[in-house]
Amino acid sequence: NYPHEFSLIRQDNQESIPFTTSCFENKVIFNTVPPLIEQPDLDGVLLTARVALLQDGNGNVQEYPTQWSFLVNVSPVFWDPEDLYDSGTEGQAHIVHAKLKNTSLLSKAFSLDMADSPLISYPDWLTPIQKHGTILSNNEYSVDFNIAGDLPPGVYTGTVTAMVDELPVTMNVTFEQLAHPVNWNFDPSAYQYSMTLVAQFSLDGGNTNLSTDTRDVIGAFVNGEIRGITTIQYVPGPDVYRAFLTIYSNDQGGSNGEKIKFKFWRALTGVEYGAIESVTFTLDNTIGSVSNPTILHPEGFFQIIPLKKGWNWISLNLATTDMTREHIFENLLNSPTNNSITIKSKTSTAQYSPASNWNGNLSTLNLGSGYLVNLSNAPDTLRVVGLPSSQPLSVNVGTGWNWIGFPRLNEEPVNTVLADLTKVQGDLLKSQDRFSAWDVPTQSWLGNLDQFTPGKGYKLKLANAGTIYYEASRGDSYDFNPYAYEYNLNVTGYADLDMIGERHEDDFIIGAFIEGECRGTGVLEYITSIGAYRTLMLVHGNTTDFGKPIEFRFFNDRTGAEYIANGDQLNFVADGLVGSVVAPYLFFLNPTTGTSTVIEDGYQMEQSRPNPTSGRTSFGFTLPNPDHVVLRLFNLRGEMIKEIANSTFDAGHHTVDADLSYLPEGVYYYELLSGNFAGVKKLVRQ
């Protein structure tokens, strides 16, 4: 009951840290609110405490203030680094190496066994080799993870959460599975003349979304013969990526020179493209420059199908504007093998010979159908340029034998592809060299044919007619290379699919875009501990992206529908944290109220009133039955600020009041948990 001065200040921004004081054994104790262990944003921050004007029992006043500083160590155990990047090659075993560091004075046990806690998690493509261990004081522990052996090319992101002292310790993992490098062998010493080209290639058909991956390859070709090859290179001065391609010939060229066509290969996906553009070879000519490169636009992918002499079971996974037999088999007709070709579907056939050209009633080919192709003289390779179907594809199959194809870019399990069919004992699936049969007791296809492979044809025997459904392809617009960016932003979000009239979370790919360029992808994962779906994703960027708005898009892989999220605008910041599992960022908001609707099984969670608030606010909710209710408030970093309620309420409508005047201005989220119900809403403190 006398004037005194106590303070606790952050040295990085001079903000005050809330605290209370108490006395114990002739000492003044500062108790932060909440405790430091619950404020991970203070980890590594220097705090300064100050005490002045204290009095003793005799009224003597402290002559000089006491001041001391300390570095907060909230999380003595952490992953190093917390954002782990690694890469491997398709089809090869790979181990990811991570480290848990312990900076405390005590040994710490950790667990990565999901049976120990519902908070422990890791992606299904990443499996820890060591699930338990003890980290010695001021030491580190190596934790290794196996990458799934059948992981197709692409970029994969996920979160690894271990438990230490009953607290989660999280690491973000980005793994890039690389395709096998393209094999374009070339010997320039076989040619006398050359010309040069400064080029780039488009990832989406436009002129701005260009390759920034130095493993990507561009090749020049004349009638299928390679005449030059190079990779994308970074040019530091203008900060751009360019390909410097030397093209070779034994013809000096000019107006009647050889026609040069181009292909480019993406290391990220292992997919080969043909380019729309071509040039005429002219000795010592130079086309394009660093400031104005020639941009090559994709004509489509190359589907490459090796063919043996004799019969081959094949199918197509790319469509072109011309699906006639003449166009599809064009490169075989110009081949020096001089083959005669026979094509068969289940119901029609056609033949080609160098002497009589094409004959027969099989005039066009279709995605989803299987074909038998016979070469008369020698093996050859079928090359088809096209694009995957941008629309969902359905293939009707009848009772008895069906000749089917596989119109997808990557392998998929037989049980997944044929999931919508009504199967019975005796149904059979065959490729040219493998087969599987439907097994009623296990409700699965059993045999040595367990994957559908692009380019192969199949025969399917069914007792019941049905339809095979293939999802739409999202193309290249959701591809990105995380290694092109120095920084990233964590976003943990929730999507109320009712807002867009959708139901199935497993159908969606989520993309984060900055100025139309994909900077990260995620999926909706089911979190067992809360009984709800969340997406945990990284958004990547460089210093030039700081402050730029992020657009989130939801792509339905099954229907091809795409939705633009309308949540609160996020701008890119380095190493930011937006949302958490319990207080996620809301991707979709009600256009009228600006809030998500949370009504489920008789439970109703209302928007706090008033909102925004400058002090006191009320939280309303309705229960269908008497139940225990937990109501908690979180900041944007996902840290709990206040437990507003934790008790049992009767059935009916209830209102809980809270004073939030002590909170800094900003956006907060509050969570209501009761029974099997979980809801999240936001409020604004102004």
Side-chain angles (χ1 to χ4, degrees), residues 301 317-319 367 386-391 407 409 473 475:
F301 303 152
N317 60 10
L318 304 175
L367 298 187
L387 294 170
S389 175
S390 61
Q391 300 298 322
L409 296 180
S473 171

mmCIF file of all heavy atoms in Angstrom, residues 301 317-319 367 386-391 407 409 473 475:
data_model
loop_
_atom_site.group_PDB
_atom_site.id
_atom_site.type_symbol
_atom_site.label_atom_id
_atom_site.label_comp_id
_atom_site.label_asym_id
_atom_site.label_seq_id
_atom_site.Cartn_x
_atom_site.Cartn_y
_atom_site.Cartn_z
ATOM 1 N N PHE A 301 2.347 -32.765 -73.023
ATOM 2 C CA PHE A 301 3.308 -33.744 -72.544
ATOM 3 C C PHE A 301 3.676 -34.691 -73.677
ATOM 4 O O PHE A 301 2.964 -34.818 -74.659
ATOM 5 C CB PHE A 301 2.725 -34.587 -71.413
ATOM 6 C CG PHE A 301 2.237 -33.812 -70.234
ATOM 7 C CD1 PHE A 301 1.222 -34.313 -69.441
ATOM 8 C CD2 PHE A 301 2.777 -32.585 -69.907
ATOM 9 C CE1 PHE A 301 0.763 -33.619 -68.346
ATOM 10 C CE2 PHE A 301 2.336 -31.879 -68.808
ATOM 11 C CZ PHE A 301 1.321 -32.399 -68.029
ATOM 12 N N ASN A 317 -2.787 -41.781 -72.178
ATOM 13 C CA ASN A 317 -3.215 -40.937 -71.055
ATOM 14 C C ASN A 317 -3.200 -39.456 -71.406
ATOM 15 O O ASN A 317 -3.373 -38.608 -70.534
ATOM 16 C CB ASN A 317 -2.353 -41.194 -69.816
ATOM 17 C CG ASN A 317 -0.882 -40.907 -70.038
ATOM 18 O OD1 ASN A 317 -0.492 -40.345 -71.057
ATOM 19 N ND2 ASN A 317 -0.047 -41.304 -69.085
ATOM 20 N N LEU A 318 -2.980 -39.129 -72.685
ATOM 21 C CA LEU A 318 -2.978 -37.744 -73.145
ATOM 22 C C LEU A 318 -3.953 -37.580 -74.298
ATOM 23 O O LEU A 318 -4.065 -38.458 -75.159
ATOM 24 C CB LEU A 318 -1.584 -37.333 -73.612
ATOM 25 C CG LEU A 318 -0.442 -37.485 -72.602
ATOM 26 C CD1 LEU A 318 0.882 -37.153 -73.264
ATOM 27 C CD2 LEU A 318 -0.671 -36.598 -71.396
ATOM 28 N N ALA A 319 -4.640 -36.460 -74.322
ATOM 29 C CA ALA A 319 -5.574 -36.170 -75.409
ATOM 30 C C ALA A 319 -5.021 -35.034 -76.261
ATOM 31 O O ALA A 319 -4.376 -34.115 -75.759
ATOM 32 C CB ALA A 319 -6.938 -35.785 -74.845
ATOM 33 N N LEU A 367 -9.222 -41.972 -74.734
ATOM 34 C CA LEU A 367 -8.708 -42.170 -73.382
ATOM 35 C C LEU A 367 -9.630 -43.145 -72.648
ATOM 36 O O LEU A 367 -10.844 -43.111 -72.798
ATOM 37 C CB LEU A 367 -8.660 -40.847 -72.611
ATOM 38 C CG LEU A 367 -7.766 -39.737 -73.161
ATOM 39 C CD1 LEU A 367 -7.724 -38.569 -72.175
ATOM 40 C CD2 LEU A 367 -6.364 -40.235 -73.421
ATOM 41 N N GLY A 386 0.400 -34.490 -76.046
ATOM 42 C CA GLY A 386 -0.958 -34.086 -75.698
ATOM 43 C C GLY A 386 -1.020 -33.614 -74.266
ATOM 44 O O GLY A 386 0.007 -33.412 -73.607
ATOM 45 N N LEU A 387 -2.222 -33.440 -73.758
ATOM 46 C CA LEU A 387 -2.447 -32.979 -72.395
ATOM 47 C C LEU A 387 -3.391 -33.942 -71.682
ATOM 48 O O LEU A 387 -4.270 -34.542 -72.312
ATOM 49 C CB LEU A 387 -3.054 -31.573 -72.392
ATOM 50 C CG LEU A 387 -2.158 -30.451 -72.926
ATOM 51 C CD1 LEU A 387 -2.964 -29.170 -73.092
ATOM 52 C CD2 LEU A 387 -0.983 -30.221 -71.992
ATOM 53 N N PRO A 388 -3.224 -34.110 -70.362
ATOM 54 C CA PRO A 388 -4.170 -34.956 -69.625
ATOM 55 C C PRO A 388 -5.545 -34.322 -69.620
ATOM 56 O O PRO A 388 -5.691 -33.109 -69.791
ATOM 57 C CB PRO A 388 -3.571 -35.016 -68.221
ATOM 58 C CG PRO A 388 -2.728 -33.794 -68.118
ATOM 59 C CD PRO A 388 -2.197 -33.527 -69.492
ATOM 60 N N SER A 389 -6.551 -35.142 -69.422
ATOM 61 C CA SER A 389 -7.919 -34.638 -69.427
ATOM 62 C C SER A 389 -8.117 -33.638 -68.295
ATOM 63 O O SER A 389 -7.801 -33.919 -67.136
ATOM 64 C CB SER A 389 -8.905 -35.798 -69.260
ATOM 65 O OG SER A 389 -10.228 -35.317 -69.147
ATOM 66 N N SER A 390 -8.619 -32.443 -68.626
ATOM 67 C CA SER A 390 -8.894 -31.428 -67.618
ATOM 68 C C SER A 390 -10.277 -31.586 -67.009
ATOM 69 O O SER A 390 -10.648 -30.851 -66.105
ATOM 70 C CB SER A 390 -8.772 -30.030 -68.235
ATOM 71 O OG SER A 390 -9.715 -29.882 -69.297
ATOM 72 N N GLN A 391 -11.037 -32.556 -67.494
ATOM 73 C CA GLN A 391 -12.368 -32.840 -66.991
ATOM 74 C C GLN A 391 -12.408 -34.259 -66.433
ATOM 75 O O GLN A 391 -11.626 -35.116 -66.830
ATOM 76 C CB GLN A 391 -13.416 -32.690 -68.109
ATOM 77 C CG GLN A 391 -13.479 -31.305 -68.717
ATOM 78 C CD GLN A 391 -13.871 -30.254 -67.706
ATOM 79 O OE1 GLN A 391 -14.724 -30.497 -66.843
ATOM 80 N NE2 GLN A 391 -13.246 -29.088 -67.788
ATOM 81 N N PRO A 407 -5.951 -43.777 -68.078
ATOM 82 C CA PRO A 407 -5.688 -42.416 -68.584
ATOM 83 C C PRO A 407 -5.144 -41.460 -67.525
ATOM 84 O O PRO A 407 -5.626 -40.344 -67.370
ATOM 85 C CB PRO A 407 -7.077 -41.975 -69.055
ATOM 86 C CG PRO A 407 -8.005 -42.658 -68.103
ATOM 87 C CD PRO A 407 -7.375 -43.987 -67.788
ATOM 88 N N LEU A 409 -1.435 -39.917 -65.273
ATOM 89 C CA LEU A 409 -0.009 -39.670 -65.455
ATOM 90 C C LEU A 409 0.860 -40.501 -64.524
ATOM 91 O O LEU A 409 2.036 -40.726 -64.803
ATOM 92 C CB LEU A 409 0.301 -38.191 -65.234
ATOM 93 C CG LEU A 409 -0.332 -37.207 -66.219
ATOM 94 C CD1 LEU A 409 0.076 -35.788 -65.876
ATOM 95 C CD2 LEU A 409 0.049 -37.538 -67.648
ATOM 96 N N SER A 473 -7.577 -33.674 -63.985
ATOM 97 C CA SER A 473 -6.182 -33.327 -63.732
ATOM 98 C C SER A 473 -6.076 -31.829 -63.496
ATOM 99 O O SER A 473 -6.659 -31.035 -64.223
ATOM 100 C CB SER A 473 -5.303 -33.726 -64.924
ATOM 101 O OG SER A 473 -4.010 -33.209 -64.761
ATOM 102 N N GLY A 475 -3.328 -30.181 -63.774
ATOM 103 C CA GLY A 475 -2.269 -29.651 -64.618
ATOM 104 C C GLY A 475 -1.091 -29.131 -63.820
ATOM 105 O O GLY A 475 -0.787 -29.608 -62.741
#
